[in-house]
């Protein structure tokens, strides 16, 4: 019984440590100053994908 309690405590401590580290990491990444992409580097042409199902559907009409 003592060993299972020790394993549970150690597992809980590891879990809480990982949760706190994750929250700190998220806060640090969220704190960064994000700038939008320059408009000259944004592709203005939309990409079109036609699957086999769509081609069959078009030819049946």
């Amino acid at each position: 019984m003592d060993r299972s309690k020790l394993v549970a405590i150690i597992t809980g401590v590891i879990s809480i440590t990982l949760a706190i580290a994750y929250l700190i990491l998220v806060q640090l990444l969220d704190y960064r100053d994000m700038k939008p992409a320059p408009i000259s580097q944004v592709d203005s042409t939309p990409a079109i994908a036609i699957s086999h199902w769509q081609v069959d559907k078009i030819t049946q009409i």
Side-chain angles (χ1 to χ4, degrees):
M1 188 71 173
D2 290 335
R3 182 177 171 150
S4 62
K5 284 184 180 180
L6 180 63
V7 170
I9 291 172
I10 291 173
T11 305
V13 168
I14 291 172
S15 174
I16 292 172
T17 303
L18 288 174
I20 292 172
Y22 173 76
L23 290 175
I24 290 172
L25 179 65
V26 168
Q27 289 298 320
L28 288 175
L29 292 175
D30 193 40
Y31 182 70
R32 297 184 303 170
D33 185 28
M34 301 296 283
K35 297 178 183 176
I39 295 187
S40 62
Q41 294 181 359
V42 176
D43 188 16
S44 62
T45 59
I48 299 174
I50 298 177
S51 70
H52 179 69
W53 178 83
Q54 291 172 331
V55 172
D56 288 344
K57 192 77 168 175
I58 292 170
T59 58
Q60 289 176 0
I61 295 177

